[in-house]
Amino acid sequence: MTTPVHLPRTIVNQMLRHAQQSPSDEVCGLIGAKDGVAAHCYVVANIASSPRRLFAMDPARQIAAMRTMRELGEELFAIYHSHPASPPFPSRVDMQQANYPEALYLIISLQTQGVLEIRGFRLNGDVVIEIPLDITE
């Protein structure tokens, strides 16, 4: 059994709020951690040509978020994005674009009306390992 990853409720709420702000487009961002504990949510604009079914982080905003993490003594903890109309499971494109095998990949689904679902994964090539999430207060 894989050890659960702890996510503070405040970080989860920020990601969910971000997804709800653009319910028909995928949203994306980064989570920075200090000493292995998720500390900050960094919203990054999705500049994909088809944002309803893909995400591509704005390079300038991604670099700015990574710089802020470094300045705060944080490391990259997770990369998140939403699936407006599909389950929270990595797509083939998600797996192909997963360039940070050490990061947790969080996927938020808006598929079910009124219910938001979030799941975590480690992605490395074709290997997908679901990581249980423990949302803490």
Side-chain angles (χ1 to χ4, degrees):
M1 174 95 188
T2 307
T3 305
V5 168
H6 300 285
L7 282 175
R9 168 75 57 197
T10 53
I11 300 285
V12 171
N13 287 345
Q14 288 173 317
M15 290 185 295
L16 298 178
R17 194 167 29 257
H18 184 201
Q20 289 172 317
Q21 288 170 350
S22 298
S24 57
D25 289 340
E26 291 195 11
V27 300
C28 51
L30 306 172
I31 305 296
K34 197 160 194 159
D35 301 321
V37 178
H40 289 102
C41 178
Y42 299 90
V43 170
V44 179
N46 179 0
I47 61 165
S49 57
S50 300
R52 290 182 185 268
R53 56 183 191 79
L54 298 170
F55 82 97
M57 290 192 188
D58 176 307
R61 290 193 183 173
Q62 183 178 355
I63 290 167
M66 299 291 267
R67 182 180 306 115
T68 301
M69 279 184 222
R70 255 192 329 275
E71 290 167 356
L72 295 174
E74 297 175 356
E75 64 275 351
L76 177 62
F77 179 78
I79 298 167
Y80 75 89
H81 75 282
S82 64
H83 283 179
S86 62
F89 194 80
S91 68
R92 170 68 43 206
V93 173
D94 292 340
M95 290 167 45
Q96 290 169 345
Q97 294 180 347
N99 295 318
Y100 296 89
E102 72 284 0
L104 179 66
Y105 285 82
L106 298 168
I107 303 176
I108 303 157
S109 176
L110 302 175
Q111 182 183 29
T112 46
Q113 198 63 23
V115 178
L116 297 170
E117 188 178 0
I118 182 169
R119 291 168 74 183
F121 303 91
R122 297 275 182 214
L123 305 178
N124 193 352
D126 286 338
V127 178
V128 176
I129 300 170
E130 184 160 7
I131 304 298
L133 302 176
D134 177 30
I135 299 171
T136 58
E137 295 304 325

